[in-house]
Each structure stands twice: as C-alpha cells, then as structure tokens.
Amino acid sequence: MSTALRMTVPAGGRLTVDLRALASNWRRLADRSGPAECGAAVKADAYGLGVERCAGALVAAGCRSFFVAQPSEGVKLRSVAASATIYVLNGYTSGAAPIYFAHRLRPVLGSSEEIASWLGETGEAGEPAALHVDTGMNRLGLDLAEAAAIATDDGLLSRLRPALLMTHLACADTWTNPMNANQIRRFAEVRALFPSVAGSLANSAALMEGGREIRQDLTRPGIALYGGRWSAASNPLETVARVEARVIQIRDVAAGECVGYGATFVAGRPSRIAILSAGYADGLHRAAAGQEVAIGGRRVPIVGRISMDLTAVDVTDLETGAVQRGDFAEVFGTVIPLDEVANRVGTIGYEILTSIGRRYERRYLD
Ligand SMILES: *Cc1c(COP(=O)(O)O)cnc(C)c1O
C-alpha cells in the first residue's frame, strides 16, 4: 500500500464507542434476565455503533444469541460470532435459502406463507426456525388461529423443528398500559400449545420494567445495551456512545449580523461563532431548536440552521482561548445525554443512534 493510502484521512468528527460499558450493560441485563438467557438485538449495525466490534465485545462477555433484522446483517455478524445463534427478525424472503445455509441463520417466521416458503426451499436441512406470534401489535407474526393450526400439525412441526416462540410488546415503554398484560396473557396461551419450545418476549423495556414472567427463556434487549433510555424513567445504565464534531473555524460576528441559511439567527451582541464540521448528514437533526453541544465540558447553544455538513455554535460566553480550531464539541455522550438530544428533536434515542451516519472516525475503547 502506498504511503498516501496509509495516512489517516481526517474526519469531521469522531464516534467513540465504549465496549467495556457495552459489556457491562449486557452483564447487568443478563443478571436481570436470569435464569433466562440474555441475548442481544444488534440490528441496524448494532443501533448504528458498528456490529462487528459491538458483537465481538458481547460474545466476549458471554452473549450467545443475537437478533438482526435482515439476512445481510446476519452475514456480517457471523464473521465475528462463529458459534452464536443468529435470528433474523424480519421473516424469510423467498430465494434466500443459500445465504441462510451458508451462514447458519435462523429465520423468525411470522406467516403461513413464510413457513411454506422456508420449508419448500430448505426442507429438513435448514436451521431450526423461530416462530413469531402476533399477540396484539399487528406488525409481524402469525395470528393465534394460525399458530394453533401449526401446533397440531405434527408433520409440519417435525420438518420445521421450531427452536423459539416469540412475540413483541407494543407498549413496553409504558409498563402500566393494559396492552402489556393482555399480550403477556395471549402469549402464555400460545406457549401452552408448544410446550417443548423455548419462549422469548422481552425487549429492554419489558426486561427492566416487567416481573419474572416476562423473562421466559431468552430475553432480547437492544437500546439498553447501548446506553439508551427505554421509557420516560431515568436510565441507570452506562453511556456507550459519544459523538463529537471538530471545530474548523472560529469567527467574530458583529451585532446585527446573521449566521447560516435563511439568516434565521441574528447576533444580538458582538459574538464569537464556532463552526463545526458536522451537520444533518451526520445525525445532527435539522429540526432541532434550542439544541446545545458541549465544548470542554461547557454547554453552548447551536445557532441558526443546521446545514448538511456544518453547524454553528455560539461560544461568546466561553473564556477567550477556551475553544480553538481543531477542538472537539460533544454532540451527545458524557455531558449531553443521548436522550436529551432525542427529546429536543422530538424523537427517541434509537433514531439518534441509527442516524449517526458513516462519516465519523470510529474509535472503540476496550
Ligand atoms: C428491536 C427489537 C428488540 C430490542 O428492542 P429494544 O427496545 O431496543 O430493547 C427486541 N425484539 C424485537 C422483535 C425487536 O424488533
């Protein structure tokens, strides 16, 4: 490789992923899952943080079962988790059997059509499958009548060899919602039809808020592993992700001058404005009003419109010299919690993490 190609290309910012915190969060969730096994949802590239490194750390911590959404994610995961059990949540797409074979992926089958297609293409040679039963969310899953028909079809069962029966709660983030009790009760009815098949019900919220009955045999937390909040309550888990953007210019702006597209910010006083090399293409949501970043541990306001690649912040109140060209401003992480940013832009931590984008330098602490 030529010297030029070996040089580090400077990025507009960096994403730091604390793999020790990730492993520690998993151990905590595993303790709470016990005696059930604790798996991990690593779909969408481990919620945007990088599935290879995150799954590697989770395997080292003892995690053996993983949930991805799509087969391509399972293929990537298999390269770092040679002996893990990998469930593909979004069902089975016809024609994908060779991929499922080659990478030992287990489909989560959620309709009679999917079951027929899976068995037609893999026969008895396929991995054992999981069955997804809909208990009220009406997103994916077999309805109760379909599940009951399968449960009494011995021929079908012997070919399918279901390894897991799962359902998903619609309202786990508000645990007092009666939907939860209803879905748990329906799931118990379905499980009684498949007495020898393991069950799985709990995402992060259900695991943290629910009682023992939601643990079943395997839990599948996602957001809590990555340090995100699963409900309106405070979050006792460790921060895993930190996003920082580089200061690329600091400029003086006279009172009455404007900043950025649309001239929406007009300086009310002589101001110092720092320009960050990250914008909405890097997950700084343009919709945000009143957002802050942190420089040297101090909060400063974002001013004007966020552009695709650039964001302006008002650093007038920092001491002269407290911010220099080349410094980093925290977008979220240790000073500004992920969930605060999510709240300000009217979304959830899940969406903030999965929209971090591909342009940051990625650093993994282990
Ligand atoms: C994403 C997902 C999970 C994990 O949910 P979190 O709220 O992130 O813990 C679990 N189960 C299913 C079916 C999912 O789609």
Side-chain angles (χ1 to χ4, degrees):
M1 214 191 274
S2 77
T3 314
L5 284 174
R6 257 189 277 117
M7 288 192 310
T8 314
V9 180
R14 62 191 181 197
L15 163 66
T16 307
V17 180
D18 185 344
L19 296 174
R20 275 165 312 181
L22 175 69
S24 150
N25 287 344
W26 183 80
R27 280 191 290 270
R28 192 158 168 182
L29 295 160
D31 280 348
R32 188 162 170 85
S33 299
E37 182 192 340
C38 183
V42 295
K43 58 202 188 186
D45 201 26
Y47 290 44
L49 301 185
V51 71
E52 281 115 329
R53 297 301 302 270
C54 289
L58 291 169
V59 167
C63 184
R64 303 188 312 277
S65 295
F66 292 88
F67 295 85
V68 296
Q70 304 191 357
S72 63
E73 298 173 340
V75 171
K76 207 167 171 190
L77 172 58
R78 180 56 80 205
S79 68
V80 294
S83 54
T85 301
I86 300 177
Y87 291 102
V88 180
L89 287 167
N90 281 14
Y92 178 68
T93 307
S94 307
I99 299 292
Y100 281 72
F101 272 128
H103 301 279
R104 287 170 287 121
L105 308 179
R106 293 186 176 184
V108 178
L109 304 173
S111 71
S112 303
E113 293 95 321
E114 278 177 16
I115 293 174
S117 157
W118 168 252
L119 285 178
E121 293 174 30
T122 65
E124 271 136 66
E127 283 279 308
L131 293 179
H132 190 163
V133 184
D134 178 53
T135 50
M137 186 175 191
N138 282 304
R139 195 175 60 172
L140 292 177
L142 300 156
D143 65 32
L144 303 186
E146 281 176 308
I150 293 163
T152 52
D153 186 338
D154 289 338
L156 182 70
L157 281 179
S158 68
R159 292 201 298 142
L160 194 55
R161 291 164 293 126
L164 189 70
L165 192 67
M166 60 163 271
T167 195
H168 196 49
L169 299 178
C171 303
D173 59 344
T174 42
W175 195 248
T176 51
N177 189 311
M179 273 290 287
N180 293 313
N182 284 339
Q183 289 195 262
I184 291 166
R185 186 175 37 74
R186 284 187 195 163
F187 191 53
E189 288 165 21
V190 182
R191 281 209 69 190
L193 301 171
F194 298 86
S196 59
V197 181
S200 175
L201 168 56
N203 64 354
S204 300
L207 175 56
M208 297 308 286
E209 309 285 333
R212 303 193 73 80
E213 77 285 1
I214 54 81
R215 295 171 200 171
Q216 309 276 320
D217 301 298
L218 172 65
T219 60
R220 1 174 257 273
I223 193 70
L225 293 170
Y226 310 104
R229 196 160 70 184
W230 55 86
S231 74
S234 68
N235 176 0
L237 291 163
E238 290 181 45
T239 296
V240 172
R242 184 173 194 214
V243 164
E244 297 164 289
R246 195 189 293 275
V247 174
I248 52 171
Q249 267 203 23
I250 300 169
R251 54 198 308 127
D252 292 312
V253 172
E257 289 285 310
C258 61
V259 174
Y261 281 126
T264 57
F265 175 79
V266 179
R269 57 177 177 171
S271 301
R272 256 177 324 124
I273 301 295
I275 307 298
L276 311 180
S277 182
Y280 58 74
D282 308 289
L284 281 77
H285 289 230
R286 186 176 178 279
Q291 275 195 93
E292 296 172 324
V293 300
I295 297 179
R298 303 252 318 264
R299 287 169 176 262
V300 290
I302 292 177
V303 292
R305 289 216 178 120
I306 292 172
S307 318
M308 184 185 293
D309 319 293
L310 297 165
T311 299
V313 297
D314 185 345
V315 296
T316 316
D317 291 335
L318 300 183
E319 308 74 55
T320 316
V323 50
Q324 313 273 350
R325 179 168 166 267
D327 285 352
F328 284 94
E330 180 186 289
V331 176
F332 65 81
T334 51
V335 180
I336 303 192
L338 166 67
D339 292 297
E340 175 186 322
V341 173
N343 266 342
R344 284 193 196 274
V345 304
T347 184
I348 51 178
Y350 302 68
E351 190 179 10
I352 299 292
L353 288 179
T354 54
S355 57
I356 286 171
R358 302 298 314 171
R359 294 202 293 193
Y360 294 105
E361 176 201 339
R362 289 175 171 233
R363 303 191 304 167
Y364 292 89
L365 310 179
D366 50 13

